Amino acid sequence: MSAVKGVSAPVYFGSFLVTPQVISPSCGLNRLTHVETNLGPLSKQVFHQTPLSFALVNLKPILPGHVLVSSRRVVPRITDLTPAETSDLFLTVRRVGRMVERVYGAASLNIAVQDGVHAGQSVPHVHAHIIPRKPADLDPIDAVYGMLGGEDGDVGKALRETQTGRHTNSESPKKRTRFPVVDNEARKPRSAEEMQTEAEMLGREMEKEALD
Amino acid sequence: MSAVKGVSAPVYFGSFLVTPQVISPSCGLNRLTHVETNLGPLSKQVFHQTPLSFALVNLKPILPGHVLVSSRRVVPRITDLTPAETSDLFLTVRRVGRMVERVYGAASLNIAVQDGVHAGQSVPHVHAHIIPRKPADLDPIDAVYGMLGGEDGDVGKALRETQTGRHTNSESPKKRTRFPVVDNEARKPRSAEEMQTEAEMLGREMEKEALD
């Protein structure tokens, strides 16, 4: 994870703690135990932090390098962010996008925010999807968007499953869309080790990016 | 159009001039004639400007209130923007999004940037789509994204047709996607008058928004 001066507070994605808790003198072991028991695989997903935003890898990326950038403050809508938080979020999207495009050998990026439940938002916490694109990686080119509405884009479902260990069968017909090339159903959630390895690699790569 | 102090330069969306040219002493009538001949309907699409960004209405909105926010400087990729331009763009997205959500009685927003040609970008100029969403307006909820790849989201095609007066038949199978509810093909481009009326209304509504 990229070190950011002054950034040591726990990070939440919605109601999910996604950084390992710091042991504080006041709660110590209990707090650490809580993290280890319930949040192991999630705690290693965050690969970059700024004072107001953070970036994390996905359990089931739509395409290689599909990551999320979220505000540190847990609010559902962009309009709930302050102007400073909004600027920081999208400056982070810009820098993280540049990094994943480079690292995954891509040539373009899809950037999408489902701003509110009626726009398909599954976790009530502002987050931007960044999806690196290569020539002819999907047919049609916009199939990527339909996949945001499928299981792979349902970050909330993935997080719930990781926390509970149960894979729900919430295949809502309202949320399914078609995408001709990528066999969505056949793909399995990644292992905690695989996600952690990717997050560590992306954290190192972020340190190579210019600050602007 | 919202007045912004110090903002009087012409505005381009890609290679298309989208504000009426100011008659300058050096080129005067020729320049105005050029605008009136080729750019009439487009010149009234812009409803809001900031020093670094602008917002415009669409020829064929995917849903009511579907508008675009673009950088004043014509560059294709978000990474080509300066940090100041990036912040201004997304602060404008936040304010314009809040306005269209209110004006069109929506409850959520889809925000999407096709950042590069391999992500579906049709005009090589950074722009964010803002699409107001209501409960059950589309089935499936993410059909909206597929439509970005269809004719309605192809802002470039719409602009080219408006400029040339010809409706091209560039129905590429690679760019078509399916969307069950809205009959995309049956919808016609809006008239210049309709777009201008909407842009004027939205310009007035923007003035009611808080600056933050």
Side-chain angles (χ1 to χ4, degrees):
Chain A
M1 188 182 311
S2 301
V4 176
K5 276 176 193 159
V7 175
S8 62
V11 177
Y12 288 85
F13 184 56
S15 59
F16 306 98
L17 183 66
V18 288
T19 48
Q21 275 281 17
V22 175
I23 304 174
S24 78
S26 61
C27 58
L29 191 61
N30 282 345
R31 201 152 185 189
L32 183 65
T33 303
H34 171 71
V35 172
E36 288 183 336
T37 305
N38 294 328
L39 299 158
L42 298 175
S43 67
K44 308 296 175 58
Q45 281 185 263
V46 174
F47 63 87
H48 181 66
Q49 293 185 61
T50 73
L52 299 175
S53 309
F54 66 98
L56 70 165
V57 300
N58 266 347
L59 187 66
K60 294 177 71 176
I62 288 174
L63 286 170
H66 173 192
V67 297
L68 308 176
V69 174
S70 189
S71 56
R72 290 181 68 94
R73 197 159 59 90
V74 182
V75 291
R77 302 294 310 275
I78 290 176
T79 191
D80 297 326
L81 299 177
T82 65
E85 287 170 327
T86 305
S87 289
D88 190 87
L89 183 78
F90 287 102
L91 289 172
T92 305
V93 165
R94 178 169 169 274
R95 289 184 65 227
V96 169
R98 194 162 56 196
M99 182 275 289
V100 291
E101 184 169 326
R102 170 175 60 77
V103 169
Y104 290 90
S108 294
L109 298 169
N110 280 112
I111 295 166
V113 182
Q114 295 163 310
D115 192 34
V117 66
H118 301 297
Q121 188 184 44
S122 61
V123 173
H125 184 171
V126 177
H127 59 282
H129 292 263
I130 303 177
I131 306 166
R133 300 299 304 272
K134 299 178 180 183
D137 56 2
L138 293 178
D139 182 11
I141 201 167
D142 294 287
V144 69
Y145 292 121
M147 298 166 79
L148 280 174
E151 184 177 303
D152 294 275
D154 187 349
V155 183
K157 179 164 179 277
L159 285 171
R160 284 188 291 276
E161 288 176 354
T162 303
Q163 277 212 334
T164 61
R166 286 185 297 119
H167 284 256
T168 55
N169 187 18
S170 61
E171 194 77 0
S172 161
K174 266 191 160 336
K175 294 205 72 179
R176 299 306 302 170
T177 47
R178 291 161 288 200
F179 25 89
V181 164
V182 177
D183 186 355
N184 217 26
E185 296 306 319
R187 286 184 291 139
K188 300 294 176 205
R190 301 191 295 171
S191 70
E193 291 70 27
E194 189 180 351
M195 283 193 287
Q196 181 175 347
T197 300
E198 184 188 38
E200 288 171 355
M201 180 270 286
L202 294 181
R204 289 190 297 272
E205 293 293 341
M206 274 310 287
E207 293 172 4
K208 302 177 186 172
E209 285 295 322
L211 279 175
D212 80 339
Chain B
M1 187 183 311
S2 301
V4 176
K5 277 175 191 160
V7 175
S8 61
V11 177
Y12 288 85
F13 184 57
S15 59
F16 307 97
L17 184 66
V18 288
T19 48
Q21 275 283 16
V22 176
I23 303 174
S24 77
S26 61
C27 58
L29 192 60
N30 283 344
R31 202 150 184 190
L32 183 65
T33 304
H34 171 72
V35 172
E36 288 184 334
T37 305
N38 294 328
L39 299 158
L42 298 175
S43 66
K44 307 295 175 59
Q45 281 185 261
V46 174
F47 63 87
H48 182 67
Q49 294 185 59
T50 74
L52 299 175
S53 309
F54 66 98
L56 69 164
V57 301
N58 267 346
L59 187 65
K60 295 177 70 175
I62 287 174
L63 286 170
H66 173 191
V67 297
L68 307 177
V69 174
S70 188
S71 56
R72 290 181 68 94
R73 197 159 59 89
V74 182
V75 291
R77 303 294 310 274
I78 289 176
T79 192
D80 298 327
L81 299 176
T82 66
E85 288 170 327
T86 305
S87 289
D88 190 86
L89 183 78
F90 287 102
L91 288 172
T92 305
V93 164
R94 178 170 169 274
R95 289 184 65 227
V96 169
R98 194 163 55 196
M99 182 276 290
V100 291
E101 184 169 328
R102 170 175 60 79
V103 169
Y104 290 90
S108 296
L109 298 169
N110 280 112
I111 295 167
V113 182
Q114 295 163 310
D115 191 34
V117 66
H118 301 297
Q121 188 183 46
S122 60
V123 173
H125 184 172
V126 177
H127 59 284
H129 293 263
I130 303 176
I131 306 166
R133 300 300 303 272
K134 298 178 182 182
D137 56 1
L138 292 178
D139 182 12
I141 201 167
D142 294 288
V144 68
Y145 292 121
M147 298 166 78
L148 281 174
E151 185 177 301
D152 295 273
D154 187 349
V155 182
K157 180 164 178 274
L159 284 171
R160 284 187 291 276
E161 288 177 353
T162 305
Q163 277 211 336
T164 61
R166 286 185 296 119
H167 285 256
T168 54
N169 187 19
S170 61
E171 195 77 1
S172 160
K174 265 192 161 336
K175 295 203 72 181
R176 300 306 301 170
T177 46
R178 292 160 287 200
F179 24 89
V181 164
V182 177
D183 186 356
N184 217 24
E185 297 305 319
R187 286 183 292 138
K188 299 294 177 203
R190 303 191 295 171
S191 71
E193 292 69 25
E194 188 179 352
M195 282 193 287
Q196 182 175 349
T197 300
E198 184 188 38
E200 288 171 355
M201 180 269 286
L202 294 181
R204 289 190 297 273
E205 293 293 342
M206 274 310 287
E207 292 171 5
K208 300 178 186 172
E209 285 295 323
L211 279 175
D212 79 340

